Amino acid sequence: MLQDALGDLPRDPAAAWLFPGQGAQHPGMGRDLYAESAAARAVFDEADDALGIGLSRLCFEGPAEELTRTVNAQPALVAHGLAALAAAIEGGGVTARPGFLAGHSLGEYAALVAAGSLSVSAGLRLVRERGRLMQEACDREPGSMAAVVALDRDRVEQLCRAHGSTICNENAPGNVTIGGAPEAVEAACEQARSEGGRVFPLAVAGAFHTPLMASAAEGMRSALGGVRFADPRQPVVSNVTARPLTRADELPEELVAQITSPVRWADSVRAMAEAGVSRLVEFGPGKTLTGAARRTVPGIGLQNVETAADARAAADAAAG
């Protein structure tokens, strides 16, 4: 249903759709979308069928400790984002396809589904396998992550090299996440603090988007080997290069490489703005991506669709 609805829409080159790779996973997430939107309900039902588990029940009822496990949190976030998009289309809040799509980390899978490169079912099965492989990698190679604020990316990269950690992503100017072995991350953080940086340790299972995820990347290479992708109907901006992905044959290597490569989110937002995008719409939990975009391209138009109320507000705004 989602793919059919997307295929009927005209294109708005000034808009881009964003899908988060993080957000608060809590019992109740998406329940209002399921209750109020038949299109959102269809996404959650397809997720349940594709995964052979009660993902929707887990999203709506918990328990929280099960929902937040990496293997479940990843498909839950993607299902929520796609359900929010489906509700917005059904309600009239979205009336055109975007000029570009982008997803942060695992959100890139939601972007590829919305671009028509993957079905909802295929995307969710891949995301759950990705979560399983990444959890295994975390158990095998313990790591940690921290956000470093108020130092520029080049200086943070120098500190990482000096202490054996790596950059995981740059979300916005002066907002860089680092990761690696816990002692390497802590050493880099100590020096960052001494130079005026603010440091925020992250509660994560391991060092995502670093070389410590190499075993997960190889596992995903095998998982992607039997998947057939379609060319994206709209360009999807790469996490790895911040350049548009336009061909099916580019996608498997992108999804392998993004597991161990930094997410170039700030560069991605700049690239979309330079290509003529003036409005960003984030589908899914939280406002992390639009918040980062506000600091990256001041003045760009921003909208969030997380809840049924957000979908109704988008419809009211579209109606005028």
Side-chain angles (χ1 to χ4, degrees), residues 255-276:
L255 295 176
V256 171
Q258 58 124 273
I259 292 178
T260 56
S261 301
V263 178
R264 295 179 58 183
W265 189 253
D267 288 340
S268 297
V269 172
R270 291 188 192 100
M272 289 186 283
E274 289 167 2

Side-chain angles (χ1 to χ4, degrees), residues 109 118 122-130 220 223-224 227:
Y109 286 81
L118 285 169
L124 285 165
R125 283 193 291 266
L126 284 171
V127 166
R128 192 157 204 267
E129 178 65 2
R130 179 183 186 272
M220 280 307 296
L224 290 160
V227 176

Side-chain angles (χ1 to χ4, degrees), residues 2 19 29-45 47 56 59-60 75-91 110 113 120 124 283-285 305-308 311:
L2 176 60
F19 295 90
M29 62 183 289
R31 182 161 48 196
D32 60 333
L33 292 167
Y34 189 94
E36 295 190 28
S37 166
R41 194 175 311 130
V43 170
F44 278 112
D45 289 346
S56 59
C59 289
F60 306 156
L77 287 167
V78 169
H80 189 175
L82 293 173
L85 171 61
I89 294 171
E90 180 185 49
V113 171
V120 173
L124 285 165
F283 296 95
V305 181
E306 176 179 2
T307 65

Side-chain angles (χ1 to χ4, degrees), residues 91-239:
V94 168
T95 58
R97 288 181 289 127
F100 293 89
L101 301 102
H104 190 289
S105 189
L106 73 98
E108 195 163 47
Y109 286 81
L112 289 171
V113 171
S117 292
L118 285 169
S119 68
V120 173
S121 295
L124 285 165
R125 283 193 291 266
L126 284 171
V127 166
R128 192 157 204 267
E129 178 65 2
R130 179 183 186 272
R132 186 188 70 80
L133 290 165
M134 291 176 76
Q135 185 61 62
E136 284 186 352
C138 291
D139 295 341
R140 183 180 297 114
E141 296 276 2
S144 64
M145 296 170 66
V148 180
V149 178
L151 294 181
D152 67 44
R153 185 190 190 281
D154 289 345
R155 183 54 186 153
V156 175
E157 190 166 28
Q158 291 169 359
L159 298 182
C160 286
R161 282 201 301 267
H163 297 287
S165 57
T166 59
I167 286 181
C168 303
N169 62 63
E170 182 186 19
N171 287 327
N175 184 338
V176 180
T177 301
I178 68 172
E183 61 276 11
V185 172
E186 180 54 31
C189 288
E190 280 300 314
Q191 189 167 349
R193 290 187 188 99
S194 74
E195 297 183 11
R198 300 195 305 277
V199 173
F200 302 90
L202 302 180
V204 292
F208 303 136
H209 299 289
T210 76
L212 295 184
M213 292 289 109
S215 63
E218 286 310 304
M220 280 307 296
R221 190 181 299 281
S222 297
L224 290 160
V227 176
R228 296 187 64 181
F229 292 89
D231 290 341
R233 286 195 294 258
Q234 301 84 228
V236 176
V237 180
S238 162
N239 277 199

